[in-house]
Amino acid sequence: MANNKLAIGIDLGGTHLSAVLVNQSGQIKRKKAITFSKPPDGKQGIHLIKKLVSELINKSTYQHLAGIGLAIPGCVDADKGVVLADSPNLIGWRGTNIKKPLEKEFKIQAVMDNDANLAAWGEKQWGAGKKVRNLICLTLGTGVGGGIIIDNKIYRGSHFYAAEIGHMMVKADG
C-alpha cells in the first residue's frame, strides 16, 4: 500500500461479524460490528458484509482504499474466494463466493482465507512470529482452529483443510 492507503479487514465468526478500516501500519481508523444469536447463511452474510463495508467508507476514504480482506472459519478456497464446506458454527455457506460480490460492489480487490490461517499470517507479519520462517498458530473462539506458516507462506494443504484441528462437522445440525 502507498503511504496513504487504507484497507478493510472483516472477521466472520459464529457469533459476530466485525469490520475495521486500517492504515498501512495496522492502526484502526474505524470499526463496526454486528452480533447475532443465529449466524446468517451465505446470502444473508454477504448482504451484512456489504452493509458493514459501506458504513466504514466515505468519499474521502474510498479513494485511498487498497483492498478488502475477509477471514472466515472453515474450509475456504482462498484463490477463488469460495467457501468449500459449511463450518460447524456457520451453516449455509457451502459454495458461497464472497470475493466476486465484494469486488463487483466496491470495485476493489477482495481476498479471503480461513480465519486461523490469517491469524497465523498476522502473527508472522506483525506479532510473535515476525522473526521466524515457520510457525503454528492455534485460535480459540466460538470454535478451535489452526494456521501453519512454512517458509514464510501459508500452508493450506491439498484440499484447504490443513490445520483444521477443531471440531469437524459430520452432519449439519447433528
Side-chain angles (χ1 to χ4, degrees), residues 121 124-125 129-135 148-155:
W121 188 250
K124 170 71 186 110
Q125 294 299 308
K130 211 171 175 175
K131 297 180 181 180
V132 300
R133 293 175 51 82
N134 307 299
L135 68 89
I148 301 171
I149 305 293
I150 300 175
D151 290 329
N152 296 320
K153 296 179 189 141
I154 297 173
Y155 179 71

Side-chain angles (χ1 to χ4, degrees), residues 104-142:
K104 183 178 179 185
E105 179 84 13
F106 298 105
K107 310 287 188 269
I108 194 153
Q109 181 184 14
V111 296
M112 64 181 277
D113 205 337
N114 169 273
D115 57 352
N117 287 347
L118 293 178
W121 188 250
E123 286 299 327
K124 170 71 186 110
Q125 294 299 308
W126 299 284
K130 211 171 175 175
K131 297 180 181 180
V132 300
R133 293 175 51 82
N134 307 299
L135 68 89
I136 294 175
C137 175
L138 303 178
T139 60
L140 301 172
T142 309

Side-chain angles (χ1 to χ4, degrees), residues 7-13 16-22 30 32-34 36 45-54 56-57 65 67-73 93 98-99 102-103 106 108-116 118-119:
I8 292 181
I10 301 165
D11 177 37
L12 175 62
H16 71 279
L17 176 63
S18 302
V20 293
L21 178 69
V22 297
R30 291 191 193 118
K32 294 277 185 179
I34 297 172
F36 32 76
I46 288 173
H47 173 75
L48 291 174
I49 290 166
K50 287 178 181 180
K51 178 181 180 217
L52 281 184
V53 170
S54 295
L56 286 175
I57 58 177
L65 200 57
I68 300 170
L70 176 72
I72 185 166
W93 285 82
I98 302 172
K99 179 180 170 63
L102 289 179
E103 289 180 340
F106 298 105
I108 194 153
Q109 181 184 14
V111 296
M112 64 181 277
D113 205 337
N114 169 273
D115 57 352
L118 293 178

Side-chain angles (χ1 to χ4, degrees), residues 43-108:
K43 185 176 180 181
Q44 297 163 331
I46 288 173
H47 173 75
L48 291 174
I49 290 166
K50 287 178 181 180
K51 178 181 180 217
L52 281 184
V53 170
S54 295
E55 290 175 4
L56 286 175
I57 58 177
N58 57 37
K59 286 182 183 180
S60 65
T61 55
Y62 185 77
Q63 66 185 355
H64 298 288
L65 200 57
I68 300 170
L70 176 72
I72 185 166
C75 187
V76 175
D77 183 330
D79 298 327
K80 294 180 181 173
V82 176
V83 179
L84 297 176
D86 285 332
S87 72
N89 299 318
L90 292 171
I91 307 298
W93 285 82
R94 170 180 264 165
T96 301
N97 187 314
I98 302 172
K99 179 180 170 63
K100 285 182 184 175
L102 289 179
E103 289 180 340
K104 183 178 179 185
E105 179 84 13
F106 298 105
K107 310 287 188 269
I108 194 153

